[in-house]
């Protein structure tokens, strides 16, 4: 989805120390505002916890968090909506003992979309119970105030969830407790604050936040979102990730033939960054080899249970859904005309005979010919333009109404999230299933993914143009599924033929940052020259550094998550440079004894 548009309400801020400061967070600088200040808060939704569905009476009811609602039933389909749109549920009675469905949480000031999260309820005497665990609204702010060699004072602000302030540096001027923060790249960009030394508090109005935020002091070890880690522990070469009930077998690096030193060098590089100009705000790094999870490291307060926004890396699920629907007998294939799949619309704006020639393949390979270019802010089909406009809440119709700017098909790909999203509408209409339900039954259950948070469009359907939240361990399964030819743990999910076509060159974006950049069915295609060998790779990629990369010749899957949102030139290099410099050598150099 588009960049966060949020308002911070009631955030409590805490001071922590710089790496070279005493553990009490105090500085040796005579100016008491110098130090590292950090804000971290999780805004939990009021509706969560145990959901009870009571079916003992003819009129079924649902209760959660002290709220109740009547349930609408149509055979095995059930649904309810809480008062004041506090939450919704859509599900099915699978059998007398089981209800499976999705909890739909409302948008809020931080998470500006509704999200659908799977839930399973078990029955005891016609009373079903399950646990609702929605996506938390999490916002962290860290501000380091420091003195530079010319004795002036500077500040940086870091936000691990959305990268709101990126790598901006501010000059700080103080006068009788009044603070002015001026962007060093554009002195006209300023915000104001005050410092109350007696209370130990700094109050500021940060850009895009319309409420005064108060900062207070705290300990360095609590700045988990500012430092890669607030602690250092040596990683043992024979350590293996913890095996869980998620389908992953685990092994140590040595057991799968990986040489530990290059990987440890990469971890040290991540841990040793300069926080004032951080090129590696990587939040997790996972590696699987020979079908086993062998490397799993987290940074900046993230962990294996915390779902991460995949951004556009989750686009790759859209062609997967098409392939699964096709395999199940839905009447769609790559040569299916797009506009014929939307009979609910009687006419389209900008009529053009070329629209009738557009096929599913053209959407999958980003060669639709529509006026849709995410890299052009003036393009009407640009993702932000589509999502921010209010005139047409049906994004399928909005996209189909776009003018054509070229013939569909061909070799030249133009990055278009709205076009990929149309694939969701085609799957929905061909299968007559709500997309989150289709995803749950045919992808999540098959890949042993227990939870996810799928962002919904204003129309209520799932958006397949990006923004799905998954645990990093579950994200990595997407790569392993394709590496294993469409199987997960020897269970067929999608046909091998679809996988082979998906990971073959179908179109090209041309050179990107000096590297060839081709495209398959939702997969970005690359090659790496390491030593005297060339390794082919394909990857799902998303804004900020969300990457699932497969290197078939090494039987290797690599997963990154990151916080470099809006900094394409930075995170794109993680795959182009870090993979050939550190990860491929771990698989190709002689192991250390």
């Amino acid at each position: 989805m588009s960049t966060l548009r949020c308002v911070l309400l009631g955030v409590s801020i805490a001071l922590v120390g710089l790496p070279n400061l005493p553990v009490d967070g105090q500085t040796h600088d005579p100016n008491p505002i110098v130090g590292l200040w950090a804000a971290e808060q999780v805004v939990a939704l009021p509706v969560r916890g145990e959901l009870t569905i009571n079916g003992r009476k003819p009129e079924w009811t649902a209760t959660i968090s002290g709220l109740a609602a009547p349930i609408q039933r149509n055979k095995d389909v059930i649904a309810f909506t809480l008062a004041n749109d506090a939450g919704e549920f859509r599900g099915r009675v699978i059998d007398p003992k089981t209800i499976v469905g999705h909890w739909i949480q409302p948008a809020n000031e931080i998470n500006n979309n509704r999200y659908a999260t799977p839930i399973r309820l078990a029955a005891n005497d016609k009373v079903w119970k399950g646990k609702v665990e929605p996506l938390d609204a999490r916002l962290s702010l860290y501000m380091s105030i420091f003195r530079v060699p010319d004795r002036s004072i500077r500040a940086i602000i870091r936000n691990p969830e959305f990268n709101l302030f990126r790598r901006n540096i501010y000059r700080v001027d103080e006068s009788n407790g009044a603070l002015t923060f001026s962007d060093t790249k554009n002195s006209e960009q300023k915000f104001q604050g005050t410092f109350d030394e007696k209370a130990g508090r700094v109050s500021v109005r940060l850009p895009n936040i319309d409420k005064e935020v108060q900062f207070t002091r705290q300990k360095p070890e609590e700045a988990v979102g500012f430092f890669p880690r607030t602690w250092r522990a040596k990683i043992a070469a024979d350590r293996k990730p913890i095996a869980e009930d998620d389908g992953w077998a685990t092994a140590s690096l040595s057991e799968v033939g990986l040489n530990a030193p290059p990987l440890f060098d990469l971890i040290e590089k991540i841990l040793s960054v300069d926080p004032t100009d951080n090129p590696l705000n990587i939040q997790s790094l996972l590696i699987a080899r020979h079908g086993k999870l062998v490397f799993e490291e987290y940074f900046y307060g993230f962990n294996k249970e915390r779902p991460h926004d995949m951004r556009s890396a989750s686009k790759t699920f859209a062609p997967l859904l098409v392939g699964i629907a096709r395999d199940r007998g839905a009447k769609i294939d790559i040569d299916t005309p797009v506009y014929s799949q939307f009979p609910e619309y009687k006419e389209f704006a900008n009529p053009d005979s070329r629209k009738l020639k557009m096929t599913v393949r053209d959407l999958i390979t980003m060669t639709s010919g529509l006026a849709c270019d995410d890299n052009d802010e003036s393009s009407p089909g640009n993702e932000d333009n589509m999502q921010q406009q209010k005139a047409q809440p049906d994004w399928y119709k909005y996209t189909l109404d776009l003018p054509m700017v070229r013939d569909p098909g061909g070799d030249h790909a133009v990055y278009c999230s709205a076009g990929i999203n149309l694939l969701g509408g085609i799957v929905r209409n061909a299968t007559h299933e709500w997309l989150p339900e289709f995803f749950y039954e045919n992808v999540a259950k098959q890949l042993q993914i227990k939870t996810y948070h799928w962002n919904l469009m204003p129309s209520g359907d799932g958006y397949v143009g990006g923004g799905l939240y998954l645990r990093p361990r579950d994200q990595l399964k997407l790569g392993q599924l394709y590496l294993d030819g469409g199987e997960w743990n020897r269970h067929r999910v999608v046909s091998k033929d679809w996988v082979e076509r998906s990971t073959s060159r179908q179109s090209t974006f041309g050179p990107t940052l000096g590297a060839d950049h081709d495209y398959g069915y939702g997969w970005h295609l690359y090659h790496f020259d390491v030593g005297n060998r060339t390794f082919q790779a394909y990857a799902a990629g998303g804004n900020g550094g969300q990457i699932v990369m497969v290197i078939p010749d090494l039987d290797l899957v690599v997963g990154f998550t990151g916080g470099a949102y809006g900094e394409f030139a930075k995170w794109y290099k993680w795959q182009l440079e870090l993979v050939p410099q550190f990860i491929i050598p771990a698989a190709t150099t002689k192991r250390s004894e």
Side-chain angles (χ1 to χ4, degrees):
M1 300 295 282
S2 57
T3 305
L4 174 74
R5 299 177 294 278
C6 70
V7 178
L8 176 63
L9 299 175
V11 174
S12 174
I13 312 293
L15 175 71
V16 296
L18 287 164
N20 59 346
L21 297 183
V23 294
D24 60 4
Q26 302 300 313
T27 77
H28 298 297
D29 193 282
N31 191 322
I33 70 168
V34 172
L36 177 59
W37 306 71
E40 185 165 56
Q41 177 170 331
V42 175
V43 182
L45 296 176
V47 179
R48 64 188 310 131
E50 186 174 81
L51 168 63
T52 300
I53 293 179
N54 189 335
R56 290 177 175 172
K57 297 181 179 180
E59 298 297 325
W60 289 17
T61 58
T63 57
I64 182 172
S65 297
L67 302 174
I71 292 177
Q72 294 79 46
R73 289 189 291 155
N74 182 7
K75 297 181 180 179
D76 63 334
V77 177
I78 62 174
F80 69 84
T81 301
L82 297 177
N84 300 317
D85 294 324
E88 305 172 44
F89 175 81
R90 294 178 61 164
R92 293 179 180 272
V93 180
I94 304 302
D95 55 51
K97 293 290 186 181
T98 310
I99 292 176
V100 173
H102 286 81
W103 176 256
I104 302 172
Q105 68 187 77
N108 56 50
E109 293 85 358
I110 295 176
N111 293 332
N112 61 342
N113 305 297
R114 291 184 298 162
Y115 286 88
T117 301
I119 176 175
R120 188 178 187 92
L121 299 94
N124 181 10
D125 191 22
K126 297 200 73 174
V127 175
W128 292 265
K129 293 184 179 183
K131 189 175 182 181
V132 170
E133 297 182 278
L135 177 65
D136 284 322
R138 183 187 297 261
L139 186 66
S140 307
L141 297 170
Y142 296 86
M143 180 164 62
S144 172
I145 302 178
F146 53 95
R147 197 179 294 277
V148 294
D150 69 3
R151 306 303 296 163
S152 63
I153 296 177
R154 297 287 189 271
I156 59 172
I157 302 172
R158 296 291 176 261
N159 166 239
E161 293 87 11
F162 306 105
N163 201 25
L164 291 179
F165 299 91
R166 301 186 184 171
R167 288 190 277 185
N168 292 349
I169 300 177
Y170 302 91
R171 177 185 175 93
V172 183
D173 294 300
E174 180 183 13
S175 177
N176 298 321
L179 304 176
T180 299
F181 297 80
S182 306
D183 192 324
T184 56
K185 295 180 181 177
N186 182 0
S187 61
E188 299 298 318
Q189 300 293 325
K190 299 179 181 181
F191 59 90
Q192 305 297 321
T194 60
F195 174 56
D196 185 335
E197 184 173 4
K198 184 177 180 180
R201 182 172 62 236
V202 172
S203 302
V204 298
R205 282 190 174 274
L206 294 173
N208 300 321
I209 298 175
D210 67 354
K211 185 181 179 73
E212 186 173 71
V213 180
Q214 296 185 353
F215 293 69
T216 57
R217 298 185 183 272
Q218 216 169 57
K219 296 179 181 179
E221 57 267 25
E222 295 188 14
V224 294
F226 182 81
F227 305 117
R229 285 182 182 153
T230 56
W231 49 272
R232 287 289 187 103
K234 187 175 181 180
I235 304 173
D238 59 350
R239 187 183 73 179
K240 61 183 180 181
I242 298 172
E244 297 182 350
D245 183 25
D246 64 357
W248 276 116
T250 64
S252 66
L253 296 173
S254 60
E255 287 174 329
V256 297
L258 288 178
N259 192 20
L263 299 178
F264 292 173
D265 288 345
L266 175 54
I267 297 302
E268 183 60 29
K269 189 177 181 72
I270 294 171
L271 296 178
S272 302
V273 295
D274 177 0
T276 62
D277 187 23
N278 184 356
L280 294 174
N281 49 337
I282 292 169
Q283 294 166 341
S284 73
L285 172 60
L286 286 75
I287 299 174
R289 195 178 200 202
H290 303 330
K292 297 179 179 180
L293 182 66
V294 298
F295 198 75
E296 182 180 27
E297 297 293 330
Y298 297 92
F299 313 94
Y300 297 100
F302 287 80
N303 57 62
K304 63 184 176 64
E305 296 303 327
R306 181 173 170 182
H308 201 288
D309 188 352
M310 293 184 72
R311 294 292 179 101
S312 286
S314 62
K315 278 183 171 67
T316 307
F317 282 110
L320 174 61
L321 295 178
V322 172
I324 292 172
R326 168 182 170 269
D327 293 344
R328 288 182 49 192
K331 294 181 179 179
I332 52 174
D333 210 328
I334 58 171
D335 57 356
T336 300
V338 170
Y339 280 77
S340 69
Q341 299 303 296
F342 293 91
E344 64 269 34
Y345 307 126
K346 303 305 179 185
E347 59 183 20
F348 302 100
N350 298 298
D352 191 315
S353 61
R354 291 177 293 183
K355 288 186 174 183
L356 301 179
K357 301 176 182 178
M358 187 190 306
T359 65
V360 168
R361 181 192 181 279
D362 301 329
L363 296 180
I364 291 180
T365 61
M366 295 202 184
T367 59
S368 70
L370 290 167
C372 176
D373 185 348
D374 287 355
N375 296 314
D376 180 358
E377 293 181 357
S378 67
S379 173
N382 176 286
E383 184 181 36
D384 285 347
N385 292 335
M386 177 181 71
Q387 294 181 0
Q388 292 172 16
Q389 58 83 32
K390 303 299 182 184
Q392 178 53 273
D394 184 339
W395 292 351
Y396 295 147
K397 184 66 163 62
Y398 181 91
T399 306
L400 293 166
D401 280 344
L402 291 170
M404 298 290 290
V405 294
R406 64 183 65 84
D407 290 338
D411 191 56
H412 178 58
V414 177
Y415 200 85
C416 172
S417 298
I420 286 287
N421 184 53
L422 281 180
L423 296 172
I426 292 172
V427 171
R428 179 202 65 183
N429 287 350
T431 63
H432 307 290
E433 295 185 45
W434 186 46
L435 281 179
E437 290 180 346
F438 187 84
F439 178 83
Y440 173 80
E441 289 293 334
N442 297 284
V443 178
K445 275 180 60 175
Q446 311 307 318
L447 298 184
Q448 298 171 265
I449 297 173
K450 296 179 180 180
T451 192
Y452 52 83
H453 307 286
W454 193 340
N455 48 317
L456 303 181
M457 296 183 287
S459 62
D461 214 343
Y463 181 66
V464 298
L468 177 69
Y469 276 78
L470 280 179
R471 297 189 318 152
R473 287 175 77 132
D474 292 332
Q475 294 178 25
L476 202 69
K477 293 174 182 177
L478 176 62
Q480 191 66 50
L481 172 68
Y482 276 74
L483 179 59
D484 287 344
E487 294 185 353
W488 170 253
N489 283 335
R490 299 183 179 180
H491 171 74
R492 174 67 59 190
V493 177
V494 67
S495 65
K496 185 176 182 181
D497 167 71
W498 188 259
V499 168
E500 290 175 347
R501 285 195 280 175
S502 297
T503 56
S504 300
R505 185 190 184 280
Q506 305 290 341
S507 60
T508 183
F509 289 102
T512 305
L513 297 183
D516 292 338
H517 181 181
D518 296 331
Y519 202 58
Y521 292 172
W523 288 97
H524 301 267
L525 311 181
Y526 307 98
H527 69 270
F528 301 111
D529 296 322
V530 180
N532 59 357
R533 295 181 62 184
T534 297
F535 297 92
Q536 305 298 323
Y538 51 90
N543 186 10
Q546 325 319 320
I547 301 163
V548 177
M549 176 171 283
V550 179
I551 308 174
D553 286 349
L554 298 176
D555 201 14
L556 196 71
V557 186
V558 181
F560 292 91
T561 62
Y565 303 107
E567 297 185 271
F568 175 81
K570 180 169 77 170
W571 66 260
Y572 197 76
K573 291 182 179 179
W574 298 351
Q575 55 191 351
L576 297 185
E577 297 180 2
L578 299 183
V579 170
Q581 288 179 11
F582 298 96
I583 296 175
I584 290 177
T588 56
T589 58
K590 185 178 180 180
R591 290 192 292 116
S592 302
E593 300 299 331

